[in-house]
Amino acid sequence: MTSILLALFGSIVGVGAVALLHLKWRGDVRSRAFVAGGWAAVAVSIGLWAIAFEPDVGAAFAVLAMTVVALGLVGRGVDLPALGRFPSVRRIPNPEPGGKPSWTGVAARTLAVVAAAPAVSMSLGLLVWVVTPAHESTRFVLAVFSFLLAFAALLVWGLSAVRPWRALGLITLLGAAAAVPVAAAL
């Protein structure tokens, strides 16, 4: 019964956290304290779920629950022409002449997606595998989870960068930094 109450309270805190972050994202709130409070509430929610159920299962369910709430909040009010009304959404002008993408930018984005993002995310997954002090199966689950999370984040970063070559270089440097401790441990 206690675990159900902790999970329920964790869900309530998680919904509040996502709502705070959503308000700041939309530009309805100007205070940066909402961002700090939102992320602190995310951590509290994950902690409560981890206490309610085992840490590996509870943390996964907490993140999943908050993701569903976030998708619901973002998806319920999607009105693409209205995005220009929000001051937090800034439209970046296309730096390319004539509004057409350059071949070098396409090449950098392709390298980021096809080569750099998978290699760097695998390197980050192996880094989690190497440095996590846990049982082998827990390390495996955390490594796969961090690999998927890093892969998604790097894909978004590589595809949405205004300066794709800079993003490709930074992604490559991140992979090199993650590969050094992995190589040292092997």
Side-chain angles (χ1 to χ4, degrees), residues 129-152:
W129 172 274
V130 167
V131 301
T132 303
H135 188 268
E136 205 167 307
S137 61
T138 305
R139 289 182 11 211
F140 176 76
V141 168
L142 290 174
V144 169
F145 178 72
S146 63
F147 162 73
L148 292 173
L149 187 65
F151 187 61

Side-chain angles (χ1 to χ4, degrees), residues 103-113 158 163-166 168:
W103 287 105
T104 58
V106 171
R109 285 185 174 88
T110 303
L111 283 173
V113 169
R163 295 186 174 103
W165 284 105
R166 182 182 295 175
L168 178 62

Side-chain angles (χ1 to χ4, degrees), residues 28-120:
D28 293 340
V29 177
R30 299 279 182 219
S31 175
R32 293 181 188 205
F34 276 83
V35 175
W39 284 112
V42 165
V44 168
S45 175
I46 291 173
L48 288 172
W49 274 86
I51 292 169
F53 306 104
E54 295 297 316
D56 48 352
V57 174
F61 277 116
V63 171
L64 183 64
M66 286 185 281
T67 303
V68 169
V69 171
L71 285 175
L73 282 174
V74 171
R76 81 175 162 80
V78 173
D79 181 19
L80 294 179
L83 284 178
R85 292 190 302 228
F86 296 122
S88 64
V89 177
R90 294 183 186 94
R91 302 209 184 272
I92 298 171
N94 192 354
E96 309 297 335
K100 295 180 182 177
S102 67
W103 287 105
T104 58
V106 171
R109 285 185 174 88
T110 303
L111 283 173
V113 169
V114 174
V120 172

